[in-house]
Structure formats: C-alpha cells, structure tokens
Amino acid sequence: MLAIANVSKTYPNNVRALEGVTLDVAPGEIVAIVGGSGCGKSTLLRAISGLDRPSKGIIHLDDEVITQPHEKIGIVFQEPRLLPWLTVAENVGFGLAHLPASERKERVARAIDRVGLADKAGVWPRELSGGQAQRVSIARALVPRPEVLLLDEPFSALDAFTRTDLQDHLLDLWADSKPTLLLVTHDVEEAIVLADRIIVMRPRPGRLFDEIGNDLPRPRDRQSAGFDHVKRQVLAALDRSLGRNISVDERETSAEKGAAMWW
Amino acid sequence: MSSVEMTISVADKAEAAEAQPPRSARLWRPLLGLALPVALAVTWEIVVRLGWSDGRLVPPPSVIGTTLWELARTGELWQHTRATLLRVVAGFGLGVAAGTLFGAIAGYSALTRTIIDPTLQALRAIPSIAWVPLFILWLGIFEASKITLIAVGVFFPVYLGVMGAILSVDRKIVEVGRAFRLSGPALVRRILLPAVLPAYVVSLRSGLGLGWMFVVAAEFMGASEGLGYLLIDGQQLGKPVQIVAAIITFAVLGKTTDWILTSGTAPFLRWEDRFHARAGA
C-alpha cells in the first residue's frame, strides 16, 4: 500500500506548494488527482516518485520510506522523454540493464508488442508520432514491473482522438499486472474514464479538497448518464475548490457544453 | 479506387519522389561543386599556353602538377607532410585531451566553473600567435614549442564546446536517468556522454581546423621541415609554384582529416533529428 502522511512541500522561494497532504492508495487502485493550476498535484507526484523530497511528512510504500527513486515505483512524464540516441527497443529496456541480455530482450519484445509497436522496435524516437512515443514511454515505465505507476498529465500533449485511444490502452495494460496507478490530469473526463477514485485538490497552498468515488462499470461509456453524473460531481467540487459557487442548474448547462472552464 | 484514396496515393508518390531524387541527380550533384574550380584552372592554363601571361607569379595547373610530382618523386613531399602531420596529431591530441578534461569538469561542477572559467576566458582572448616568443623562450625552437602552440589553439574550441554541451543537456532527460536510479558513473555513461556527443564532434572539427591553422604559424617560427617550411622556402627563393603546391597539400590534408573525423563519428550520430538529416549529407 502507498501511504502518504501529512506531506508538505515549501520551495526555497517560500511558495507553499503542498500542505498536510494525507492519502492512502490501495494496491491495484487507480486514483486520479485533479485541480486548478498551482494546486501542487505535480509536486505531490514528484514527491512520491522520490525525484523531489517533501519538506515535511513521510511517504511509505509497503514498509519502505520513499526518499529517492525506488524500483517499485515507475513514472510517466507529460512528455515522452525518450532518449533520442536509443532505438525504441533500447528505450523500453532502459530500466532493465541489470538483467541478462536474453531475458531483457524477451521482456522488451513482449512489452513493445503489448503497446502495438512491434514493427517500430528498431527505429529512432524521432520517427515516432506523439502518441507512439508516449506508448513507448509507458512501456518503458511498466517493463520493470513496478507496483506503483505514477503518470503526470501523460496524455495532455496529445490530440483528443489519440488521447481517448491511449486512455483505453492504458487500462488494457493495467489489467496485465494491476499495478497501483496514480494519475495527475487536467482532463476531468480522463479522470472519470480511468479512476476508481478522483481526488480534487485546492491551490495556494496545495491541499486535498474533496474525493469522489467512481464505481461505474468498465469499459466506461463517455456518453452515459452515469458518466455525466460523476462528471458533474467532479466539476462542482472543482468549482468549490476555487471558491466559485455556481448553482447546480448552471453547472448542468455548462457541463453539457463540454469541458467546463474551471481552470 | 475512390477519389480520396487516389489523392492520397498521388500525394504519397509525390512525397516519395521528393525524398528520393533520381539516381543520376544523386550521383552528379556532388560533382557540381567541382565545376567552378576546374573551369578556372582550365581557363588559366589556356591563358598561359596562349602566352597572354607568363604564369610566373600565378603558375598554371600543369606546372603545379609537375612540381608536386617532382616533390613526391624525390620523397621531399612525404618528408614535409609527415613532419607537419605528426605535429598536428600531437598538438591536436594534447589539446583535445586537455580541452575535454577541463570542459567536462567546468560543465559538471558549478564551483569549478566559477573558479577556472574566467581565467580561461581571459587567456582565450589573447591571440594565440602572441604566445610564440614566450613558448620559444620556455620550450626552445624545436618540436615542444610548436606542439604546444597547436595544442593551445585546439584547446579552446574543445573546452568551450564540451562545457557548453554539458550545460545544455536537457534536465528532463537527466531526470529519466534519476528515475531509473542510475549511479553517478552510469548517469555519465548512459545519459551525459551520448547527449553531448553531437556538440563534441562539432568542437573537435573546429579544433582540428585551428590545429591546421596553428601548425603553419608554428612552422613559420623556424622549422627545417614541414609544409610551413616549404611555404617560407618558396617565398625566400622566389618559387611561387612551391608555395601553391604546399597550399594544395594543406587543403587536401585538412579536408581529409576532417572527413576522417566526421565519417568516424557518423555511426554514433545516426539518431540525430537534424534539418536535412534524411537527405544523407
């Protein structure tokens, strides 16, 4: 279990990015964190990844305290961050350098096949589309079989069509070994499609504000009434987190228009 | 076939044609660069043959060719080329080693950079030829002072290139290395070195160019052999043809060593996403 206890982060310029965040995530759970810009959601993710250290509080994975990057925690960034001098296959195998070549090769081949890029194994990253590159990045993070996979707005740079495609694909990959997924996103629909639980954060200082459970059956239909219901709950919580009070009726009309402008 | 499909396949073909020029064009294109110098040489040859100029100060190609052949036949050309080449190799090697070492340290450690960079930048501002008298006093008039001068010329572009390349490595890519828990040496080997390689090759090439410049300066300051000696000798004996022959040898050597450097490193840089990379430069 991933346990975040009373985590605060103050930057050297005295910006309080996070304050007193406590959150438990069960193994295999998918949790999405949404919130206005500056609410510290990426800061929280970076603290869990071990890339940054919190100023206060403690993060446990099972019995271990996380103070630096950990082999059981994988991360996918907003940009694919592939190493341009390695082929697709070498990028996917980047975290497996400690394994014997034969095992590494086999696991890499399986992972590339799993993200549907078997024909691209030998090409350079420059030859991939944005969506393909992000799939390679996800494969690279998953191939060491992490217990927790962190995703920092992983699909935000992609076009709408590729994005929904990759959301479905991510769920498909998750089903293989069911790691814990902790996802930061700007996209409310993305949070609802993917997550069992949606955490709403509030800015200045960043803290947890609300939590919306989501037990819609999978695969989730983005057009269904149930989906719309959850979406309205999340959007209302976001508005409240930013101190805006909009009545439910107005909320409904703006939700129908598509993504509300809550940021 | 629908009209949409047709449009797409036509567009595909157009694209393919653009990416792959006709075979004959690919073969002829590089030769186009030869047209101008060959035309000039032929014109000059004709002018001299017709007696419109005596060709004494600007010798015609045939005379230069004969001179080069004579120098080669007597072994002189090889002797001088060898002396110059050895100086460049030694000076380039030393300059590259020192430039890489200092550049890497200054790029990696901000503290070291603050300490050594201002001094090195000040030294860089000195025209390197100004060191010649001092090097001669310190190191004598033989090989040591010459090689040192060449090494100084090579050092600065390599130092600047390596330091700048390390400073500009993408923080986001370094973070990938950290996320995968690479140790310090592994981070250098698997992330930093490949990331700086393209800029490093560029700095080696400019270092090599300066190396060839400085070997001439070094050989002007008193040498009994070397292509620079041939130049001075040609001037003192009033033999412009010997000067031109030495200049041509310099051109061939400079171009050849640069070609060895670029083609030797090209296999490591195939991944680069460069403008025109696919045209196969």
Side-chain angles (χ1 to χ4, degrees):
Chain A
M1 178 160 102
L2 181 67
I4 299 145
N6 204 23
V7 163
S8 301
K9 173 86 185 174
T10 307
Y11 284 110
N13 56 4
N14 276 328
V15 170
R16 284 146 68 207
L18 278 182
E19 193 152 286
V21 171
T22 298
L23 178 68
D24 287 347
V25 185
E29 198 181 7
I30 305 181
V31 173
I33 302 173
V34 296
S37 44
C39 71
K41 48 195 194 300
S42 290
T43 307
L44 178 61
L45 210 69
R46 289 181 61 86
I48 300 168
S49 73
L51 287 170
D52 286 342
R53 290 178 80 161
S55 321
K56 254 191 282 176
I58 195 159
I59 296 163
H60 275 100
L61 176 61
D62 303 325
D63 299 326
E64 287 176 84
V65 179
I66 302 300
T67 53
Q68 54 186 352
H70 192 283
E71 58 179 333
K72 289 183 187 167
I73 301 178
I75 184 161
V76 174
F77 299 97
Q78 186 175 356
E79 324 79 21
R81 299 198 188 181
L82 302 180
L83 305 176
W85 53 85
L86 298 182
T87 62
V88 165
E90 288 164 342
N91 263 290
V92 171
F94 190 76
L96 300 180
H98 57 285
L99 293 181
S102 61
E103 192 186 344
R104 185 168 67 228
K105 234 172 150 179
E106 191 215 304
R107 274 169 70 169
V108 166
R110 216 174 327 130
I112 296 179
D113 194 41
R114 197 68 189 80
V115 293
L117 292 172
D119 56 328
K120 301 276 183 193
V123 311
W124 305 112
R126 67 162 190 242
E127 292 163 59
L128 301 176
S129 70
Q132 290 171 337
Q134 197 58 302
R135 278 192 283 178
V136 174
S137 170
I138 293 171
R140 177 177 67 182
L142 279 174
V143 81
R145 297 178 189 143
E147 277 178 30
V148 176
L149 182 64
L150 307 170
L151 302 113
D152 188 2
E153 302 188 29
F155 309 134
S156 64
L158 305 174
D159 63 87
F161 182 74
T162 313
R163 196 183 312 154
T164 49
D165 208 38
L166 278 189
Q167 288 160 2
D168 297 339
H169 195 70
L170 178 65
L171 282 177
D172 193 33
L173 293 174
W174 169 80
D176 288 350
S177 58
K178 294 209 168 63
T180 306
L181 291 192
L182 192 58
L183 163 94
V184 161
T185 179
H186 259 102
D187 180 343
V188 173
E189 288 200 10
E190 178 169 287
I192 301 168
V193 168
L194 297 174
D196 304 315
R197 199 147 54 106
I198 297 146
I199 310 278
V200 178
M201 287 184 71
R202 193 187 76 177
R204 281 173 291 274
R207 40 175 95 192
L208 301 191
F209 180 73
D210 202 355
E211 185 179 312
I212 291 122
N214 178 10
D215 51 9
L216 294 172
R218 291 196 167 98
R220 289 171 181 164
D221 176 2
R222 291 170 176 84
Q223 315 301 331
S224 70
F227 193 93
D228 206 43
H229 177 70
V230 179
K231 185 168 158 185
R232 244 173 262 164
Q233 279 180 289
V234 176
L235 288 173
L238 280 165
D239 274 334
R240 277 185 280 117
S241 79
L242 295 170
R244 293 183 208 155
N245 279 309
I246 300 175
S247 75
V248 176
D249 289 347
E250 283 175 64
R251 180 77 279 164
E252 272 173 37
T253 34
S254 58
E256 275 156 22
K257 273 185 216 147
M261 303 300 286
W262 48 267
W263 57 85
Chain B
M1 196 190 264
S2 78
S3 71
V4 175
E5 275 175 84
M6 248 156 73
T7 323
I8 289 173
S9 77
V10 169
D12 276 351
K13 272 176 202 153
E15 215 170 278
E18 212 175 322
Q20 284 288 325
R23 209 176 129 74
S24 56
R26 263 182 296 146
L27 287 174
W28 280 105
R29 208 66 180 263
L31 297 180
L32 273 181
L34 283 175
L36 184 63
V38 168
L40 286 176
V42 169
T43 311
W44 189 243
E45 184 73 39
I46 292 169
V47 165
V48 175
R49 293 270 163 114
L50 292 176
W52 295 349
S53 161
D54 64 3
R56 205 187 65 79
L57 286 179
V58 184
S62 59
V63 178
I64 299 169
T66 320
T67 310
L68 272 173
W69 171 246
E70 269 307 301
L71 285 171
R73 206 178 50 83
T74 58
E76 265 181 282
L77 184 65
W78 169 239
Q79 176 209 341
H80 295 300
T81 304
R82 187 170 160 273
T84 300
L85 204 55
L86 283 178
R87 286 174 188 137
V88 171
V89 167
F92 181 71
L94 285 173
V96 166
T100 307
L101 184 70
F102 280 90
I105 295 171
Y108 203 75
S109 144
L111 178 66
T112 321
R113 185 166 62 251
T114 343
I115 295 171
I116 69 169
D117 192 54
T119 308
L120 287 173
Q121 296 295 346
L123 290 175
R124 190 171 76 95
I126 300 168
S128 305
I129 310 294
W131 291 109
V132 167
L134 206 52
F135 284 167
I136 290 179
L137 283 184
W138 285 347
L139 302 164
I141 55 163
F142 299 107
E143 296 305 307
S145 58
K146 293 183 177 60
I147 289 169
T148 308
L149 182 68
I150 298 165
V152 167
V154 174
F155 172 84
F156 287 106
V158 175
Y159 165 77
L160 282 182
V162 171
M163 182 178 71
I166 292 181
L167 286 177
S168 62
V169 172
D170 190 353
R171 175 191 62 82
K172 292 178 171 174
I173 288 229
V174 176
E175 212 164 72
V176 170
R178 286 186 55 214
F180 281 102
R181 301 173 313 285
L182 296 189
S183 63
L187 194 75
V188 169
R189 187 172 57 83
R190 299 183 64 191
I191 306 266
L192 292 180
L193 279 184
V196 303
L197 194 59
Y200 188 51
V201 171
V202 172
S203 72
L204 289 182
R205 290 180 70 186
S206 38
L208 185 63
L210 280 175
W212 282 107
M213 256 175 76
F214 279 85
V215 76
V216 178
E219 289 176 345
F220 276 3
M221 69 197 198
S224 52
E225 56 175 5
L227 293 168
Y229 161 80
L230 271 189
L231 292 174
I232 292 285
D233 189 57
Q235 180 209 339
Q236 284 168 350
L237 300 181
K239 291 195 288 188
V241 65
Q242 184 179 318
I243 299 178
V244 177
I247 287 174
I248 288 174
T249 315
F250 267 123
V252 170
L253 285 174
K255 185 72 192 157
T256 310
T257 46
D258 187 63
W259 176 79
I260 291 170
L261 194 57
T262 44
S263 51
T265 49
F268 303 104
L269 296 174
R270 276 181 304 142
W271 52 271
E272 267 191 300
D273 194 3
R274 275 179 312 181
F275 180 57
H276 279 164
R278 282 169 200 87

